[in-house]
Each structure stands twice: as C-alpha cells, then as structure tokens.
Amino acid sequence: MHTLVGRFTSRLGKNYTRVVSRSLATLPKAPQITDIRNVGIIAHIDAGKTTTTERMLYYSGVTNRIGNVDTGDTVTDFLEAERARGITIQSAAITFNWNDHQINLIDTPGHADFNYEVVRSIRVLDGCVTILDGVSGVEALTEKVWKLAAEMQVPRIVYINKMDRPGAGFSRTVREVVSKLKTKVVLLFLPYFEGEEFKGVLDVVNMLRIKYVSQDGRDVEVLPAAETDQNDVFLQARAALIDQLSEFDDAVLDEFIDTNDVQTKTLVEAIRKCTSENNIVPVLCGASFRNIGIQPLMEACTSYLPSPTVPVNSNILTMLAFKVRHDPQRGVMVFVRVYSGQLKRNLQLYNTTTKKKEKVSKLLRMQADNPVEQESFGPGEIAVLLGTNSIRTGDTIVGGPKLTNAQKSIQLQPIQTPPPVFFIRISPKSVGDMRTMKDALDILLREDPSLHLTYDEEAAQYLLSGMGELHLEIATDRLVNELNARVEIGEVMITLKETFAGTSSTVTKSSVDANGGTTTVSVTALSHDSASSHEGSPVSSMSTQIIDQNNVSTVFRGHRLIDGSDVKKQVVYGITPVLARGGFYGHALFGLDFQCEVKISPEAENPDLVTPLIREATIEAISTVHDKSFELLEPVMDVDIQVPRSTMGAVISDLSTNRRGQMKSLEDSEEIGEDNDYMDISKTIWAPVDHTMYMSKHEDGKGNNVRLQARVPLRKMVGYLSTLRSITQGRGAFEMNFSKFSPVPSQDIEDVRNQ
C-alpha cells in the first residue's frame, strides 16, 4: 500500500502534496480571459451556499479563518440583517485565485423573497454551482433557480452537500437531479464512508480515494483505486463515465474502441466540452461544514466551467450594470460585468439605456464588503464603479474616445424584474422628514428594482411594494436603521389590481401650437384576452401608429429628429400614470392593450405635446368603460409543500377548504418528474448503493414524504407557516412563488377590499 499523506494541492492529480494557495494580493493585474471563471452559487435556502463559500475563501488564502453562519461572522453575509437572521439577503461578489485561475464568485440568496438577486446574478455568470442538501434532495426553489440558469444557457455543476448527515442519500439525490431538473449527469466524485461515517470522496476521473484526516480539511490520505477495497466501485463508476461521455464526444468513443480505456486528459477535455455545451452536468459531493470536498469542487470550477467569451466584432468597451449598492462611506457602487474592451479609470463612458454620459472616479474589485482599488479591468471581469449617480440595474454602458451612433445604440439583454405582490404604506413622521424619506427610498429603489413605489393620493401616503413579507421587512429595516429615515410604516398588505372586459370608446385629443402645427392623438383601451392570464406588465401590448402629412414615420423639427421610437416612449409616459390611478376600484389597471394613433404635422414645433395629450385621452377613454365591466384582480401563488404522508389528508383539506386552493399535483417526493422522459433515464443511471441512508418505508413501498402542489390566492397564505407546522407537528415545509393575477370571486370582493 502506497498511501500518500500530505496537504491538498490546488491542482488535483496523482500527487497530492503541499497546499498551493494564492491570496488576492498575488492575483495577476490583467488575467488572461481563458483563466477567468465567473461562477455563482445557487441553491434552496439552508443547502449550504454561504458555508461552502467560506471554505473556498479559506483554502484559496483570501481569509485565514473560516466564518460561520450561526455565529454571524461570515465574509459574504456582511449586512447586519443577514448576520442577525443567518440568511443571505443580497448577492455578494468576491474574487480569489485557485489553480492559476481567477474565480469571480457570487454567493446568492436562497429565500424566495430575494429571487431577483439570483436573477440578476445569473445574468452575468458563465457557470453555476448548484448546491443540494443530501438529505432533502432537490427542493422547490432549486428547481426554480435551475430553470433560470437553463433558460440563460449557463453551464452548471452539482455539489451534493451534507453527506455526513443521517438520511443523506447521494444516489437518491442524483436520480432526483436527473428526473426533477431534467438533465443528464456524470458522476465525478462519490462519497467515501468508513462504516457509517463520511470520511472523504472517491475521485473517479483520477481513480483516487481521498480521505480527510484533519478537521480543517487540509490534510488528506490519498490512495490509488487499485489499492482500496472500493476498486470495483471505481471501475463501475469509470465505465459509466466513459459510456455517458461517449454519447456526446467522439474522441472518448474512438479512444475507448482503440485501447479499451480512456486517458484522464481525454476525459477532462470531454467533461469540460460537454459541460460548456450544456449536454451534461458534473456531480460532486462533500460535507462543507465538516470541510470535506471543497478543494475538488474548486478544481471542478476551473477545469469544467467555461471561461468568458468576447462578442464577435466588438472592439469597444461594453458592460452591463447588474447591481447597485449604496455604501455609507463610499457612496453609490455600481457592479458591472465587462463583456469586451478595457475599463480604465477616468475613461469617458456612455449609458446607452439613459443616453447619458458617465464618468467614474474609482474602479474597485470587491472582496464581499472589502474593496481593492484597481486601475483597469479586462473582458470577462466583474468590476465596481464609484462616482456615478445615474446608472441603474440593467443599463448597458459603453466606452471609447469617439463612439459612433451605432455604438451608442448597443443594448445588452436587460434584466427582467418580477411584479411585486405585497405592499406597505409609508409616510414621514413630520413634514420636515419628507426629503430624508424620499432620498432614502430613492437609494432603496435604485439598489433593488424589485421594490416599487407608488403614491396614494387619497390617503396621501406612499406605497412600497415587494416580493414578500420578509422582503419588505428587510427593506423597511434598512430604511429606518441604515438610511435614518423618520417614517411611519403600516402593516404588510397584498397588492390588488384591476382590469376590465371589452373596449373603451376611442378618444381623440388635438393641440395647435403658435406656428400652426398640429399634434393629434387617438387612444382606444381594450381588455387583454383573459383576466386570468395576467402574468406580465401592466400594458400587455401597445400598437402605436405615427403619421404626418406625408405619411412617413420621421419628422424633422429644426435640428431634432422625431422617429417612431421617440414617439412611442412619449406614449408610454402618457399612459403609465393613468394606469397607476386605477379605474372603478381605485387599484392600478393591469393587463390592457392600447391602440394609439399619433399625427404630427410638419409645422409642429413642440412634439413633446404627445405625452400630455395621450394622458388626457387615456383618462377619458378609461372613463367610458361601464362600471360593471371592471374586474378586481389578486395575486395567486404557486405553492409547493412537502409533508409526512400521515398528515397529507389534513393538509389537503386545509388548502382546499380554508384557503380555496386549487390542487395541481400530488406525488411522492422521490418520484417527482415521472411524467417526463428523464424519469426513465434516472432509473437506469449507474450510481452507488446508498447504504447509510435512513428512510422509513410504508407497506406499499412508498416513501414517507409526499409533495403537494397547489395554486392558492396570496391573501389565504398569510400566516400559513404556523398552520402547516401545527398540522404536521413541525415536519412540513413549503415554498410559494408568484403565478399570476386572477379575478377575485364576486362573493369575496367586499371582504378583500376591506382587508
């Protein structure tokens, strides 16, 4: 037996020797783009995202101690609210070096209320690590964030955490990944147990057993597969790996046919290629809290996740702002992803979204809450801009000495903002507190575009809307304690909207300026196809026709060119405040179509009249709709509940009777996905026996837990957690996400309005 006892190297291979880690100070100033990895950590709440991130920072040399979520001293959870609650609220970016690669890591929240943080982080990533709880398996929010990453075609790695816990099932979780997340996987690391104790991992690619022998996770024993009592497991896993890669990579198949084996180098190249093309998902495992399996995960990030790519034919600086944060000492900090070109300090920038020039005073690389100043950033890097006050999340920024009109029109894919479903009333404690309140709210809204602010003229109060009760609780806590706003805050309430059936009258408004030029607008408002399908923006669609005397869509006004896009913006500006005013019920109008016609004569000197004319015409058009045509809309949620089988009947009864929920599905928690082809694949995939997994079974062979999926009005879900815990003796759990706005039943309208 030739056991090598040593320290983990940052480059996995056949020689595990002294640890090689580089702190931030030794990072190259201008890394090659092929050596950069922009990686996000995504998962369900409590799966171990921040715990895993803390170990990465420790082993890479960025920190000299391991932070703990329970004691509130982690690097990435630096907000007071995060440390007090033990959860991640906002995404945190941090950079470290591993295996001669620069990893820009973003730790994202796991709570559904902060899903927008995940959305805007995934938008700028090149790869994701999806962390799963080995006991709970694939949970509801995991499916949601996985779907987001899949839609954006971001390659993923799966890390099955908490393999040291009773009830952890590696193979069970792998099969859930395939069936629930609808993907094909390759098993790169397997759990290694001594008796019932999780001690390390089996490296299938390098055919090595890695046993962790020190509490800090640095000291390991490494043994070749042939010299272990798991050699048969190694050989089966290796054969399965080769077979799965052969489906997508001819080099693997050809080498196996020629030599009846495949070299490690060939396997690594094939895994990287197949992962980057989203054909397969590598699976690893570990126990982050026990410091087992972190270094192999970091190695997998550099070996298998792709480096950034530069857009073709792009020779100018192009960036996307994906996050804005207010710092008490540094001011406004804008996080950007550089896609092409070089970002340098004091470079003249141009915001193609707002059409404004921008200039930054400093460039920073963020280490969570600790910035490091830099002179420049290249393609693929994540930077922070200081000194700008107008850039917002989703803005496209370009830079260069002489930008062409085409370059000033570049637009990167924006970041979609979900609709809010809860709101609270906010008002200043005194007239003198109004300015401070507005300034603080401006900071909140700029930081978090999933917060919305409207003004209730009747109550003379502002309404702050968000994604959930916790979302608003955190926002108002920051408003008072961090931004020092003196405000009165009302109770959390549910956002209601309204729409109408049918079509309004067509209203025409005209204005003649001093030069004799005429601007005329006509507006017709009509209902969307179905009130029950309102899932998007307040305006479902808008048809705008721009006409002048010569029937062309562009008109010169001295040195100013008015084209179709300019006029459409003015139309939107005119309609939007009318929607906020509401109709019969006094709630914001939602899901309407508008037909607008704009006529501008060549003599007209003031085309800006379009906005007020559109506003007047829209108000009058809405007023022609009969009162009985209006419908009150409420948010309806998709609710995903996991409960013990013995309590299933009581939970369903409560959902159906007390909460007017509509049941969508009832499945054993192990069998989600059997309505898709991937369920069959999950049953045939090779995986080791879960010999330590404890799970009680019923006589019918079904698992102990069941999963219920229902669609329930949000007003009926307020305070549901305490009810669920009471019914299930504390063993039930649920997640809910916004589905759509749906009509309130006529018999409930008065109750809903009173609430």
Side-chain angles (χ1 to χ4, degrees):
M1 301 258 302
H2 303 288
T3 303
L4 173 62
V5 180
R7 312 213 81 193
F8 239 119
T9 175
S10 67
R11 180 180 295 279
L12 286 176
K14 293 190 176 181
N15 294 317
Y16 285 78
T17 56
R18 186 174 56 85
V19 67
V20 180
S21 62
R22 296 169 175 82
S23 67
L24 184 66
T26 64
L27 284 173
K29 293 184 178 180
Q32 296 293 318
I33 194 169
T34 54
D35 295 331
I36 296 174
R37 300 290 183 270
N38 292 312
V39 180
I41 305 289
I42 61 175
H44 191 92
I45 191 170
D46 289 335
K49 297 181 300 298
T50 302
T51 300
T52 303
T53 301
E54 286 296 315
R55 273 68 182 169
M56 288 182 168
L57 302 182
Y58 176 65
Y59 296 131
S60 64
V62 171
T63 61
N64 58 14
R65 53 176 294 280
I66 298 175
N68 192 311
V69 173
D70 293 333
T71 56
D73 58 355
T74 60
V75 173
T76 52
D77 285 350
F78 51 83
L79 294 179
E80 286 300 321
E82 292 178 314
R83 292 182 171 180
R85 290 171 172 82
I87 62 172
T88 301
I89 292 170
Q90 66 175 15
S91 57
I94 196 161
T95 299
F96 59 86
N97 202 21
W98 185 260
N99 187 18
D100 297 323
H101 286 70
Q102 176 179 302
I103 298 179
N104 302 315
L105 189 73
I106 298 181
D107 180 20
T108 66
H111 197 287
D113 278 18
F114 308 105
N115 195 54
Y116 179 72
E117 284 288 324
V118 184
V119 173
R120 62 178 170 183
S121 297
I122 292 177
R123 173 64 184 81
V124 297
L125 296 174
D126 299 305
C128 288
V129 174
T130 306
I131 299 182
L132 303 178
D133 183 329
V135 179
S136 301
V138 176
E139 299 175 90
L141 196 60
T142 306
E143 296 182 54
K144 184 171 183 177
V145 295
W146 183 277
K147 184 179 180 181
L148 287 172
E151 289 174 349
M152 298 184 195
Q153 298 184 330
V154 178
R156 282 136 285 159
I157 284 175
V158 164
Y159 172 72
I160 301 178
N161 191 22
K162 303 185 181 182
M163 286 306 305
D164 59 319
R165 300 287 182 88
F170 175 79
S171 298
R172 169 177 57 86
T173 303
V174 166
R175 292 191 169 90
E176 286 187 9
V177 169
V178 176
S179 61
K180 294 183 183 181
L181 303 182
K182 300 178 176 60
T183 188
K184 294 184 177 181
V185 300
V186 287
L187 308 186
L188 305 189
F189 287 84
L190 310 177
Y192 167 62
F193 292 90
E194 290 185 351
E196 300 296 311
E197 187 176 0
F198 180 59
K199 299 291 289 184
V201 293
L202 306 181
D203 180 350
V204 178
V205 175
N206 295 291
M207 298 291 279
L208 297 169
R209 189 201 72 186
I210 306 168
K211 177 182 176 181
Y212 289 72
V213 295
S214 65
Q215 288 189 350
D216 68 356
R218 289 190 183 275
D219 296 326
V220 293
E221 289 181 359
V222 181
L223 197 64
E227 299 179 13
T228 71
D229 56 1
Q230 288 89 24
N231 192 44
D232 288 345
V233 175
F234 270 109
L235 294 175
Q236 293 177 65
R238 180 89 166 191
L241 176 62
I242 293 172
D243 182 57
Q244 289 160 323
L245 292 174
S246 298
E247 181 181 349
F248 302 102
D249 194 291
D250 290 340
V252 173
L253 180 61
D254 293 342
E255 187 172 321
F256 181 75
I257 292 174
D258 292 340
T259 65
N260 201 35
D261 195 10
V262 180
Q263 296 181 7
T264 298
K265 180 182 177 181
T266 305
L267 288 177
V268 171
E269 291 174 353
I271 295 167
R272 175 176 170 79
K273 177 174 178 289
C274 292
T275 303
S276 300
E277 294 175 354
N278 284 306
N279 289 324
I280 57 101
V281 172
V283 176
L284 296 86
C285 63
S288 297
F289 190 74
R290 290 267 309 280
N291 307 316
I292 298 176
I294 303 298
Q295 298 95 330
L297 176 60
M298 297 164 73
E299 179 71 17
C301 290
T302 62
S303 298
Y304 305 129
L305 291 177
S307 57
T309 57
V310 179
V312 179
N313 300 326
S314 180
N315 55 4
I316 67 164
L317 171 65
T318 308
M319 305 181 293
L320 180 71
F322 69 94
K323 182 179 175 68
V324 177
R325 185 178 135 215
H326 178 269
D327 185 272
Q329 284 76 42
R330 306 178 189 98
V332 176
M333 307 173 69
V334 179
F335 290 68
V336 297
R337 158 73 189 264
V338 181
Y339 283 91
S340 63
Q342 289 289 323
L343 171 62
K344 299 180 180 179
R345 191 162 61 89
N346 294 324
L347 178 67
Q348 184 70 57
L349 303 176
Y350 184 78
N351 188 328
T352 68
T353 305
T354 62
K355 308 300 182 186
K356 293 181 180 180
K357 292 182 179 179
E358 306 279 357
K359 195 169 185 178
V360 297
S361 59
K362 290 183 180 180
L363 300 178
L364 305 176
R365 186 189 303 282
M366 289 304 296
Q367 292 297 95
D369 201 29
N370 180 34
V372 179
E373 192 169 342
Q374 287 201 192
E375 289 296 315
S376 64
F377 288 85
E381 295 201 82
I382 292 176
V384 174
L385 315 180
L386 288 186
T388 175
N389 291 313
S390 60
I391 299 176
R392 293 181 176 270
T393 297
D395 287 357
T396 298
I397 315 297
V398 298
K402 293 182 180 180
L403 296 172
T404 66
N405 288 334
Q407 291 169 336
K408 289 183 177 180
S409 300
I410 293 174
Q411 282 287 298
L412 299 173
Q413 180 183 348
I415 300 171
Q416 299 299 320
T417 306
V421 291
F422 284 93
F423 74 91
I424 53 175
R425 297 184 182 275
I426 295 180
S427 57
K429 287 190 174 182
S430 68
V431 175
D433 296 322
M434 177 65 78
R435 172 51 55 190
T436 305
M437 183 192 79
K438 286 186 175 181
D439 290 343
L441 285 170
D442 285 343
I443 291 172
L444 274 184
L445 296 172
R446 191 176 176 194
E447 284 191 358
D448 186 356
S450 64
L451 289 169
H452 295 253
L453 187 69
T454 55
Y455 185 68
D456 184 342
E457 295 182 359
E458 292 185 8
Q461 291 177 320
Y462 286 90
L463 306 179
L464 183 66
S465 305
M467 299 305 299
E469 295 173 90
L470 181 60
H471 188 203
L472 289 176
E473 180 185 332
I474 297 296
T476 53
D477 180 73
R478 291 197 60 211
L479 191 68
V480 173
N481 297 320
E482 290 186 31
L483 302 176
N484 301 316
R486 286 173 44 83
V487 293
E488 299 285 353
I489 299 172
E491 294 182 0
V492 175
M493 303 175 73
I494 295 169
T495 300
L496 300 176
K497 297 185 183 295
E498 61 180 301
T499 191
F500 60 79
T503 305
S504 75
S505 298
T506 299
V507 176
T508 301
K509 296 287 182 180
S510 297
S511 179
V512 180
D513 62 25
N515 198 44
T518 303
T519 301
T520 303
V521 303
S522 297
V523 175
T524 306
L526 34 145
S527 64
H528 195 38
D529 292 341
S530 170
S532 63
S533 65
H534 296 319
E535 302 176 10
S537 63
V539 179
S540 298
S541 68
M542 187 168 60
S543 170
T544 306
Q545 185 178 9
I546 304 98
I547 304 173
D548 71 1
Q549 282 187 345
N550 301 314
N551 199 30
V552 295
S553 61
T554 57
V555 185
F556 284 98
R557 303 284 180 271
H559 298 292
R560 184 176 179 189
L561 175 67
I562 299 299
D563 62 18
S565 61
D566 289 333
V567 174
K568 285 185 178 181
K569 287 180 182 178
Q570 293 184 51
V571 170
V572 172
Y573 295 153
I575 288 175
T576 301
V578 181
L579 293 172
R581 287 181 51 175
F584 176 73
Y585 293 105
H587 297 283
L589 286 160
F590 189 77
L592 299 177
D593 294 340
F594 287 87
Q595 292 181 352
C596 308
E597 183 179 271
V598 180
K599 297 180 181 179
I600 307 174
S601 69
E603 298 82 14
E605 289 292 335
N606 187 12
D608 291 339
L609 284 172
V610 170
T611 294
L613 290 174
I614 283 287
R615 184 179 296 119
E616 293 174 19
T618 305
I619 291 173
E620 190 171 323
I622 297 297
S623 70
T624 67
V625 179
H626 194 278
D627 290 350
K628 292 184 178 179
S629 297
F630 284 90
E631 286 184 305
L632 187 63
L633 305 175
E634 65 177 340
V636 175
M637 312 300 285
D638 283 328
V639 184
D640 194 304
I641 311 170
Q642 293 195 18
V643 298
R645 177 179 292 274
S646 60
T647 64
M648 175 184 65
V651 172
I652 292 176
S653 176
D654 176 66
L655 284 172
S656 303
T657 306
N658 300 329
R659 305 185 187 278
R660 301 198 179 172
Q662 177 185 356
M663 297 301 302
K664 294 169 57 182
S665 67
L666 166 61
E667 299 167 326
D668 284 276
S669 59
E670 297 174 77
E671 299 175 357
I672 305 298
E674 60 186 24
D675 59 339
N676 65 78
D677 294 338
Y678 285 93
M679 173 55 73
D680 295 332
I681 298 175
S682 71
K683 293 177 179 178
T684 60
I685 190 172
W686 181 89
V689 175
D690 283 332
H691 63 282
T692 63
M693 187 185 74
Y694 168 79
M695 178 173 290
S696 62
K697 294 288 183 178
H698 286 262
E699 293 180 0
D700 59 5
K702 298 292 185 181
N704 189 43
N705 289 333
V706 293
R707 177 175 172 185
L708 313 173
Q709 292 178 316
R711 187 162 287 165
V712 188
L714 178 58
R715 60 189 164 93
K716 294 292 186 179
M717 291 300 294
V718 176
Y720 179 64
L721 181 59
S722 60
T723 300
L724 181 65
R725 286 176 174 171
S726 175
I727 295 175
T728 63
Q729 291 80 50
R731 292 181 291 167
F734 82 99
E735 283 287 342
M736 65 178 181
N737 295 288
F738 173 75
S739 173
K740 60 184 178 180
F741 280 96
S742 187
V744 177
S746 58
Q747 67 270 22
D748 291 348
I749 288 178
E750 284 305 314
D751 287 341
V752 171
R753 295 192 69 192
N754 290 335
Q755 290 176 7

